[in-house]
Amino acid sequence: MVILGIALALLSAICWGAGGVVFKLGLRNVSEYSGNLIRSSFAVLFLLPLVLVNGIEPLNLKLVLLLIFSTIFSFFIGDLLYFNALRNSPVSYALPLASTYPVFVAVMDNLLYGYAVTANVIAASLLTLLAVIALPKEGGKFTLKSLTALFASLSWAISIVTLDYLTDHLSPVTLAFLRLLLNSAMLYAMVRRFEVDRNTLVYMGLLGGLISVTGILSFVTSVSLIGSNMVSPISATSPVIGAMVGKVFLKEKLTLRHGIAMALVFTSVIVLSLQPR
């Protein structure tokens, strides 16, 4: 169970890592609002066949309110802040700041559920952050706009801690579908001018939608198996894993800093796998 949960968390990290590059390409000519709406709408369409086959579990008022709360802080506020950071600052600054959410999750899990903030979780979170920082930096300067990625991280953490409760009552498919559907509805109500072009449809819609569905389903399922306090440090390795995958597919030379970053990620996963349940 723990091994499967860790494997799914790593899969979500690969999706988020690849998503950082894909989303940045898709946001070249549109606002983060239009990009988020297109991504969410396509993801809903991709999930629809699974929902039609498996159905949706019964909902009560508490679950509905928690779903709305979770959606607002994840796909709406969190992703909009993240997309804004990607549009207005270098990825090498936005990703490390966006990868700090395991620290916030660990503190919130302790306050809400009584999960112990163990040495394993703290060490894994710090190793993950060091791994992201160790990646070679691209061009560009740090600006105050880069800090929106930090606020995105905090917003994601607030949403993530709700998943420990939601996954006890709803399946990963139901959770992913309803949250993305709610996000699409909120964005549709807000977007006054809908921007779209071929580039956006390909990167934010087709690729972004598929990446989001895979990443969200694997992330939510891993939370249901091992808990958000263990999943968060692993999924936050996405910038490192994404960079490594990109290098391999583009057949580019791997540097010493890439090796150090990957070694830190590997150590982080090992440390977390030794976490007592």
Side-chain angles (χ1 to χ4, degrees):
M1 193 74 73
V2 173
I3 299 300
L4 177 59
I6 290 175
L8 288 172
L10 284 171
L11 176 58
S12 72
I14 294 172
C15 291
W16 306 146
V21 177
V22 171
F23 295 148
K24 190 169 181 67
L25 291 171
L27 292 167
R28 279 179 174 173
N29 304 313
V30 301
S31 70
E32 55 268 35
Y33 291 93
S34 293
N36 194 358
L37 175 57
I38 294 167
R39 184 279 305 259
S40 296
S41 299
F42 270 78
V44 168
L45 291 175
F46 292 145
L47 283 167
L48 186 58
L50 293 176
V51 172
L52 292 176
V53 170
N54 299 311
I56 292 177
E57 293 86 355
L59 299 172
N60 56 41
L61 180 60
K62 183 177 181 179
L63 286 174
V64 170
L65 292 176
L66 199 55
L67 274 170
I68 295 173
F69 179 85
S70 177
T71 301
I72 289 174
F73 280 98
S74 58
F75 304 127
F76 191 71
I77 296 176
D79 282 5
L80 286 175
L81 288 171
Y82 177 55
F83 291 158
N84 181 269
L86 287 176
R87 290 182 71 237
N88 296 294
S89 64
V91 175
S92 55
Y93 290 111
L95 286 182
L97 289 172
S99 298
T100 57
Y101 64 86
V103 178
F104 298 125
V105 170
V107 174
M108 293 179 192
D109 271 341
N110 175 261
L111 294 175
L112 291 174
Y113 303 114
Y115 290 171
V117 183
T118 64
N120 300 67
V121 171
I122 294 173
S125 300
L126 292 176
L127 286 167
T128 295
L129 190 56
L130 287 174
V132 176
I133 293 172
L135 285 175
K137 298 295 182 286
E138 63 179 47
K141 295 181 179 180
F142 178 85
T143 67
L144 288 177
K145 291 181 179 179
S146 301
L147 290 176
T148 55
L150 181 62
F151 293 112
S153 177
L154 176 58
S155 183
W156 287 336
I158 294 172
S159 174
I160 288 170
V161 296
T162 67
L163 295 179
D164 290 280
Y165 178 84
L166 288 170
T167 53
D168 283 339
H169 298 82
L170 301 172
S171 70
V173 172
T174 296
L175 266 176
F177 179 77
L178 291 179
R179 292 166 86 212
L180 286 164
L181 185 63
L182 284 169
N183 186 55
S184 299
M186 289 188 290
L187 286 166
Y188 184 78
M190 285 191 62
V191 174
R192 294 287 180 264
R193 181 187 173 193
F194 185 71
E195 304 163 294
V196 64
D197 58 18
R198 182 179 180 278
N199 180 74
T200 308
L201 287 174
V202 171
Y203 288 107
M204 293 302 294
L206 291 174
L207 295 178
L210 285 172
I211 287 172
S212 295
V213 167
T214 306
I216 292 167
L217 286 179
S218 56
F219 184 87
V220 173
T221 304
S222 62
V223 169
S224 69
L225 293 174
I226 60 177
S228 61
N229 61 328
M230 289 185 66
V231 173
S232 295
I234 300 174
S235 65
T237 63
S238 58
V240 179
I241 295 177
M244 298 295 289
V245 171
K247 288 287 183 181
V248 171
F249 276 100
L250 294 174
K251 297 181 179 179
E252 295 178 352
K253 183 179 179 181
L254 295 174
T255 67
L256 176 61
R257 295 187 69 161
H258 284 100
I260 293 173
M262 205 61 207
L264 288 169
V265 167
F266 179 76
T267 305
S268 172
V269 174
I270 293 298
V271 167
L272 208 59
S273 65
L274 300 175
Q275 162 82 357
R277 289 294 288 148

